[in-house]
Every structure is written in C-alpha cells, then in structure tokens.
Amino acid sequence: MTIKNKLRAGFGFLFLLAIACSGLSIYFLNRLSVDSSVILKDNFETIVYVRNIGIAIDETAGPLNKHQVKAIETNLVKQEHNITEIGEQQLTDSLRSKYEQLKLLENDPARQTELRKEIRGLLFGIMKLNMDAEDRKNAIAKATAGNATLLVALIGSFLFLVAFSFIINFPGYIANPIKELTERIKEISKRNYRQQLDFKSNDEFGELAQAFNNMTFKLDEYENSNLASILFEKKRIETIINSMHDGVIGLDERSSIIFVNQVACELVGIPEVSLIGRYAPDVALENDLFRNLLQADQHKMKIYADGRESYYSKEITPVMSKEKLIGKVIILKNITEFQQLDEAKTNFIATISHELKTPISSIKMSLKLLEDKRIGEINPEQRQLLENIDDDSRRLLQITGELLDMAQVETGKLNLNFGSTHPKNIVDYAVKAVKFTAEQKAVSLKVDCDDSLPEVRADLDKTTWVLINLLSNAIKYSPERSQVELQVKKLKGDDIEFSVTDHGQGIESRYLSRIFERYFKVPGSKGEHSGTGLGLAIAKDFIDAQAGKIGVESELGEGSRFYFTLKKAS
Ligand code: ADP
C-alpha cells in the first residue's frame, strides 16, 4: 500500500473510531433518558392514582358518597389505562370489582369495612408492584449507565492506544528512511558509490530505494569504467614516454619522482624501481649526475653512456595548472650528433679562416706596393678601385680574424694571458684604435677614466679587443656629429665596470636577450648587411673567460649602453 493510502487509512480509522465512540455515547445517553422518563412517568402516575383512590376510600367509614365515587372513578379509570407491570392488570381488575361491590353496599358496615380493607390491600399491592418496578427499572438504568461507561471507556482506551501507537510510530515511519537516505547520500559525496538502501515495503519508500540503488549501481559502474579508461590512458602515456629516445623524468610539486623512462634510468644508472616515489634531492645526494640534472643553470651536459661520451641538452619545464605549479619535467635530449657536427663546422671555419689569412695579407701587401710611385703612376680611377680593394680586404681580414677567435673559443683553445694592468691602458689602446673611424664620422669620444682607479686582472689583448668592438659598434650605430661616452668606474665590491654609451638608434627590447648570440644581427638595423654578428658573442666569451660580466641596456631611438666588468687585481 502506498504511504498516501496508509495515511488515509490510518486517519480514516481514527475518524471512524471517534464517530463510533460519540455514536455509542449518544445512544446510551438516549437509552438512559428513556429509562428514566419511563420510571418517572408511568409508575409514578400509578402511585399517584392509587394514593388518590386510597385517600378517597378512607374519607368516610360508611357507604361511599358522591364525591368519593367521583374521585375513585376518575383515578381508577386513569389507572386502568396505565397498566405497565405484569400482574398489575389482575390487581386493577380486582380493585374495580371490589370498588363496584363497595359502591353498591348501603347498610352493611361490617362488609363495607371488610371491602375497604381488601381494597387497601389491593391498592398496596399495586403500589408495591409499581415501586418494585421503579426499583428494577432504576437498577436497569444504572446497569445501562454502567455498560455505557464501560463500553465508551473501552472504545476510548482503544482509540487512545491506536492514536498513541500512531503518534509513536508514524514519525519514525517517515523519518527513519529519510535519515538512512541522508547517510547514504553523504557517503556518495565522499565518492563511495557502493551504497544500497534496503526498504522492503511496497510503498513510495520502496520505489525510492529501488531508484536510489539503480543510481548508485550506475555511478559505481561509471566510476569503474572511468578508472579503467584513466588507467588505460596512463599506460598509454607511460608507453609513449618509455619509447622516447630522450630521457624523461617527472617530479611532482614536492619534488618526488613520479615517472622516469628507460633512457633516463640508463643515463643515471639507477633502476626505475629505486627512483619512483623518492624525493629527488635525496637521490641527488647519492648520484652526481642526478644532482647536475636538478641544477637549473646547466643546459648542456657531457654524460658517459653506452661506452662513449655523449652530449645531452637538459630542459627543465615547470608544469602549471591554473597558475599553480604542480610539478616539473626534466627532458634530456641526446645532442651528440649535433655536437660532433658543430665541432666539425668549427674546425672547418678555423682551417678556412687560417688559410684565408695568408692570401688576404698578401693582397694587402701587394696593394701597399702598388701605392709606391716607383712601380708606376696610377690614375685617380685606379686609385679609387685600389682603395675599394683595400677596404674589402681589411674587412675580410677582420672577418677571418673574428671567425678564428670564435673557433678558438668553441674548441676550448682560448689561451688567456692574465696580468695586472691599469684600466687606462686598455682605454688608451682602444680609443687609439677607433679614433680614425670616429673622426671620419665626426663622432666625439668622451672618456672618463680616473687615474685613481685600481688595477684590473685581465688579458690585455682580449679585453682591448672587446672594448674596441663595443666602441666600433657605438660609432657605427651613432648618427654623425654625436657623442660616444666611455666610462670606467669602480662598482661596490671588487669589480671595475667599463661602459660605452651611444645616442644612436638603440635596440628593441625583444632583441636584447639575443644580442650576445652567435651570428645574431638586429633585423633591419644599419649594420645588418655589413657585420658578421660574431663580435658581441666573442666579446661575451672573452669576458666570461675572465670571470667578468657583460651586458646591455638600450632604449629604441635613445641609444645603448654596453658594459662589462673585470675583477680588481689582488
Ligand atoms: P656586427 O659585427 O654585426 O656588428 P655584433 O655582434 O657586434 O655584430 O653586433 C650584433 C648586432 O647588435 C648588430 O648587428 C647590431 O644590430 C646590434 N648592435 C650592436 N651594437 C649596437 C649599438 N651600439 N647600437 C645599436 N645596435 C647595436
């Protein structure tokens, strides 16, 4: 039965019981009033009639006078119409007969007295009969009242018990399943989908349980299938990572190792099982290579693997999710092949530049000889052509020189001649070297180098080369009749800073980080076609080798400031 019908039946039953109880009460009250009214009316009237007859009989001792006869006659007739009890008819009939006899007697006082006595006896009999009846009916009325009280009390008690059990059980009947349902829903919110409701009833709660159980079954099924597909995807990603030729190591946000592929395991020489789940800095304590892997500054690594030296480039990529760091991936790319090609290229450049130097020098020598008047007069056109050849061969010599320097740096054959020297020496050499070019462009050089500055520890040739390069660039990229400032100053600590400031075209900020890269030239700049893009790269190598720092600050259209630092001589 549905809850709705159960409620209807329950309340209906209580309603019926209440109606039955009130009906019975009304019925018994009615009966009691009927019984009482019968007692009062019929029996009481008989007693009144009998008493009136008795009074009339005893009024005189002799024969009945007219008044007596009338009183007796009236009351006797009323009594004859008010027979209610068994035996009352007989007694009333006898009373009639005795009264008729007494009425007819004129002169027989003895018989009259006797008849009067018999009449009194009959009157008494009728009175007693009615009084007894009164008592009996009273008893019946009492019994009816008693029965009514008992019955109403019984029905009332039953009604009370039913209502009481209804009040006790009904809230629980509704609330208990709701409570259980709430508990199960809380479990589901904790992703615990294996929840079942066991309501056996055939009502709405039964239907609810069935629907709930179906839902949890489906959720559980979905969760399991989801899990299976997630596991499958995980397996697929692991397989992809493992089949990569690069070494891959994954760390979580607390630097614990969460995955590592076969290549990475072989490189660090630790099996996967000994790496997964471990705190990476702990592994770094035991393994030098792993320590290098975690260092952010080292990008190229030489690793001895497969019985030979191999070169790897290392890339540490932070993994972000919603702007929050959730881990890191370290990728080790085998660049041995590129390294070998690079070395071959460097050697080739070194050889070619070296081989080119001699013929270019001899061209220059021949040019010098041609200028000699003893060899023969040359006309202005020929002189112009010779000057062009001289210009080009000077540039060629510079380019081959730069290429050689770069090859030296790349092959690690850079030999530095360290010594103590005053910054003024470096400045003087450099200024002398660029003076002619500056004058040609009417660029004034403003030098600020105090004599009181301490000596620096430097390779004089290389450092002068760097300063010449910076000054040449400054002049090259400055407008005519502008000023280039060369300043040397002592920084906080032991560093001495050399800086060259121009008021030329400046450099776009997006190119600043690439300006020291090999062969890089700012696109669209004045010198894009003339230079090699090697000068600043070599300058950086020279300064790095002397443990100094080189950098640039520039504003497009405003000019640039190139600077480098050297250590104070100890
Ligand atoms: P290059 O031989 O081409 O001058 P560099 O390495 O000396 O090579 O310079 C690299 C690039 O940096 C140049 O091509 C030029 O675009 C830019 N550059 C260098 N110095 C300056 C400067 N003072 N002002 C503006 N641009 C400059």
Side-chain angles (χ1 to χ4, degrees), residues 473 476-477 502 507 515 520-522 525 531-533 535-536 562:
N473 278 346
K476 187 150 99 185
Y477 297 107
D502 66 62
I507 302 158
I515 208 95
F520 180 78
K521 291 184 271 184
V522 173
S525 82
T532 55
L536 288 177
F562 282 84

Side-chain angles (χ1 to χ4, degrees), residues 398 402 469-470 472-478 500 502 504-507 515-517 519-523 525-528 530-538 554 559-562:
Q398 192 196 338
E402 282 184 356
N469 210 280
L470 296 187
S472 312
N473 278 346
I475 296 164
K476 187 150 99 185
Y477 297 107
S478 282
V500 177
D502 66 62
Q505 63 191 64
I507 302 158
I515 208 95
F516 294 100
E517 280 177 17
Y519 309 109
F520 180 78
K521 291 184 271 184
V522 173
S525 82
K526 233 163 64 176
E528 195 187 347
S530 58
T532 55
L534 280 171
L536 288 177
I538 296 168
S554 187
S560 317
R561 188 179 93 92
F562 282 84

